Amino acid sequence: MFYNTSYRNKSIDKEIDGHLGESYGLIKTFQLRGKGSGRMLIEEMSQKLFDSLDGHAGMHFTNIEQRPKGVLLFFKRNTSEFTWAVPFHHLSVFKTNTYNIHAQGQYVKLRLSTVFPYNEKFLERMMKFRNDYMELGICG
C-alpha cells in the first residue's frame, strides 16, 4: 500500500493504523530504544515505486518506522512525502551486497554505506519482531 502523505489525511492515517497498528507511544518507544531508523540511501527500487515518486532521478533516501503489525517506509521528494505501508506477513528482507526489502511485488535496495552500521541494530530488531509476529500466527 503506497500513499501520498504530503498532507495529513485522517482516512489514510486510519487505514494505515488498521493494517499495521497504531504508532508506539512515548513509553513504548523508550522501551524499544526508538521506533525508527536513521536515513538510508536507496541504491535501487522497483519501477512502480519509482513512478510513484514522480519518476525523479537522483538520490533517494528512506526511513523506516516500526509498527506492531508491520513497517512504514518513508520517501521524500522535493515537497512531497510518500509512505509505503508493509505488513509483516508481506515483508521479506535479504542482505547481499545491498539490503533488500521486498513486499507486495515491489522492492527497495538499500546501500550498505557508512551510515548502515547505525541502522543495523534497528533492522535486526525489526526482523525479530517480524519473526515473532509470524510465529505467533497472528498474521492476517
Side-chain angles (χ1 to χ4, degrees), residues 14-32:
K14 196 173 195 179
E15 189 174 335
I16 290 172
D17 290 349
H19 289 293
L20 304 181
E22 292 185 12
S23 183
Y24 292 117
L26 185 62
I27 294 172
K28 185 68 173 177
T29 300
F30 279 124
Q31 290 173 345
L32 293 174

Side-chain angles (χ1 to χ4, degrees), residues 10 50 59 62 74 87:
K10 290 184 181 182
F50 182 76
M59 300 241 278
T62 188
F74 299 102

Side-chain angles (χ1 to χ4, degrees), residues 24-64:
Y24 292 117
L26 185 62
I27 294 172
K28 185 68 173 177
T29 300
F30 279 124
Q31 290 173 345
L32 293 174
R33 295 189 177 147
K35 63 179 178 180
S37 71
R39 188 168 82 157
M40 294 179 275
L41 182 61
I42 297 173
E43 183 84 22
E44 182 182 334
M45 64 176 53
S46 62
Q47 190 62 43
K48 185 176 178 184
L49 289 177
F50 182 76
D51 292 343
S52 296
L53 292 171
D54 298 328
H56 290 292
M59 300 241 278
H60 292 281
F61 294 94
T62 188
N63 294 18
I64 303 174

